Amino acid sequence: MRTAVIGGGAAGFFLAVNLKEMAPTMQVDIFERSKRVLAKVEVSGGGRCNCTNDFEGVGDLSAVYPRGHRLMKRLFNVFGPHDAYAWFERHGVPLVVQADHCVFPAAQDAHAVIDCFVGAARRHGVRVLTGRAIDSLQQLDGYDYVVVATGGSPRGQGLEWLRRLGHEIVPPVPSLFSLSIGDAALKSLMGTVVEHASVQLATTKVRTDGPLLITHWGLSGPAILRLTSHAARLLHEHDYHMTVNINWSGQTEAEVRENLSLMTIAHRMKQLTNVAPDGMTQRLWNYLVEKSLGDRASLRWVDIGKKDINRLANTLVCDSIATTGRAPFRDEFVTCGGVSLTSVHPATLESRVCPRMYFAGEVLDIDGITGGFNFQAAWTTAYTVAKAIANHALANT
């Protein structure tokens, strides 16, 4: 029996290794379009590979999987995050869980994962064929099973042959990206991190929390990446020109007003811009004061009135920033869209229109927020397909 795995990325390698462990006599070949395999794994997590998440505190998978959460909930019964953690440790990759629940190799190096996959594939006799683009089943004549694990396709060309076979394709758009802004004064604060920010797309209910990073092009950090993940299609429809409301304080407006009122007493004779609220950098505070009060920003605390406090509080908890597009770098590593989940059998991820063709990883219309959730989707779907093929092969021998 022979299986062709199209795609030499995270899902493709994980599937190939697990399939060989489940069905040792199966011939498994990986076909990779480029000259290098596992390229995305190498650069993920800043080169450290955030390979999963402990999911602590995740009560609803829709919070971390904007698309595909129902299927992921089902497949976690087959292979979930605890199974992935045990798999890597069993295969010689010790892991560590960070305070933010992200899981990394203890070596803090993505090559720990890459070496594991490449080494296991070699030991099990998996053939890895690079520079081999596959865009038709005719190229794989003689294989009993075909797995498509080609990852995301931002421009959609890599999905056309699957559409021609009869699969429904959800138009792909980027997810998990930073936002560009035109506010030069805010961009001048590049490098500033706000640990407990809340961001919301104006006129929508899309809201996320977490650290926010100001860059020389605009807004980034986990809070923004989560926002763009949940609102990927909405932002695409608006050509990435929308308004983001930011709560810089991590507090309610009433709490901020009370704190500012106390500061008017504690720092009466000091200039507003010389004393920032606890937890806020002086540079960001000065920007917000000048944005709120204009010429009155040079006043002392004792000289500001209730209207000034209300303006400041409103800016701290609901500052409006216009976006001008995605960040000018190709920093998005995730694409939402792909093969529609209606085109596959949910228990096995086998195609409904092409028997013995399966799908795993980001080529499916499943994607998660930042934090190791997308790699977990790759492991879960790849393991599910490996198990389905192994079971089918065993039943037909």
Side-chain angles (χ1 to χ4, degrees), residues 138-153:
Q138 286 70 33
Q139 294 172 268
L140 300 173
D141 188 37
Y143 284 92
D144 301 283
Y145 305 95
V146 172
V147 183
V148 181
T150 48
S153 182

Side-chain angles (χ1 to χ4, degrees), residues 168-292:
E168 180 183 348
I169 302 299
V170 180
V173 299
S175 180
L176 282 183
F177 49 84
S178 303
L179 292 168
S180 295
I181 62 174
D183 188 332
L186 184 56
K187 289 189 289 187
S188 72
L189 306 182
M190 58 184 177
T192 299
V193 177
V194 180
E195 290 293 344
H196 304 290
S198 294
V199 292
Q200 182 172 6
L201 277 183
T203 73
T204 78
K205 294 182 179 180
V206 184
R207 177 182 175 276
T208 58
D209 305 314
L212 183 150
L213 170 66
I214 301 172
T215 71
H216 65 277
W217 65 81
L219 304 172
S220 190
I224 295 297
L225 295 178
R226 291 168 189 163
L227 184 79
T228 58
S229 178
H230 282 282
R233 293 204 173 279
L234 184 61
L235 284 161
H236 179 75
E237 290 168 6
H238 287 80
D239 195 29
Y240 306 100
H241 286 69
M242 296 188 74
T243 298
V244 176
N245 294 330
I246 303 176
N247 183 336
W248 301 100
S249 69
Q251 298 177 318
T252 66
E253 188 167 356
E255 290 171 333
V256 170
R257 278 200 303 269
E258 181 179 357
N259 289 340
L260 293 176
S261 296
L262 292 173
M263 292 179 75
T264 64
I265 299 171
H267 307 289
R268 289 173 52 81
M269 305 308 294
K270 295 181 179 179
Q271 191 173 334
L272 273 174
T273 52
N274 287 342
V275 184
D278 290 342
M280 182 168 290
T281 68
Q282 195 69 48
R283 295 168 68 211
L284 177 59
W285 170 245
N286 290 352
Y287 163 83
L288 295 172
V289 171
E290 291 171 9
K291 185 173 185 176
S292 303

Side-chain angles (χ1 to χ4, degrees), residues 22-242:
M22 297 174 192
T25 61
M26 177 76 69
Q27 178 182 327
V28 180
D29 297 335
I30 294 176
F31 293 84
E32 168 55 39
R33 176 184 296 269
S34 69
K35 293 295 184 180
R36 295 177 59 210
V37 297
L38 299 164
K40 187 180 289 190
V41 174
E42 186 174 29
V43 298
S44 67
R48 296 187 299 138
C49 188
N50 181 186
C51 54
T52 186
N53 191 286
D54 69 4
F55 282 74
E56 184 177 332
V58 179
D60 185 348
L61 287 184
S62 65
V64 294
Y65 289 108
R67 288 150 291 271
H69 62 277
R70 292 184 181 86
L71 179 60
M72 290 303 298
K73 182 178 181 180
R74 173 176 184 157
L75 297 185
F76 273 4
N77 293 320
V78 178
F79 192 86
H82 297 298
D83 300 307
Y85 193 106
W87 191 96
F88 280 105
E89 295 248 319
R90 192 168 63 249
H91 286 77
V93 184
L95 303 177
V96 293
V97 183
Q98 295 187 163
D100 61 0
H101 309 296
C102 294
V103 179
F104 288 85
Q108 299 295 304
D109 188 347
H111 286 94
V113 174
I114 294 172
D115 293 345
C116 169
F117 287 170
V118 172
R122 186 180 298 116
R123 288 194 305 275
H124 289 304
V126 175
R127 288 201 308 167
V128 180
L129 307 170
T130 58
R132 298 286 294 275
I134 302 296
D135 55 15
S136 74
L137 286 178
Q138 286 70 33
Q139 294 172 268
L140 300 173
D141 188 37
Y143 284 92
D144 301 283
Y145 305 95
V146 172
V147 183
V148 181
T150 48
S153 182
R155 290 176 295 277
Q157 297 100 318
L159 301 172
E160 280 305 311
W161 73 285
L162 300 173
R163 189 196 305 274
R164 291 194 298 270
L165 288 173
H167 300 96
E168 180 183 348
I169 302 299
V170 180
V173 299
S175 180
L176 282 183
F177 49 84
S178 303
L179 292 168
S180 295
I181 62 174
D183 188 332
L186 184 56
K187 289 189 289 187
S188 72
L189 306 182
M190 58 184 177
T192 299
V193 177
V194 180
E195 290 293 344
H196 304 290
S198 294
V199 292
Q200 182 172 6
L201 277 183
T203 73
T204 78
K205 294 182 179 180
V206 184
R207 177 182 175 276
T208 58
D209 305 314
L212 183 150
L213 170 66
I214 301 172
T215 71
H216 65 277
W217 65 81
L219 304 172
S220 190
I224 295 297
L225 295 178
R226 291 168 189 163
L227 184 79
T228 58
S229 178
H230 282 282
R233 293 204 173 279
L234 184 61
L235 284 161
H236 179 75
E237 290 168 6
H238 287 80
D239 195 29
Y240 306 100
H241 286 69
M242 296 188 74

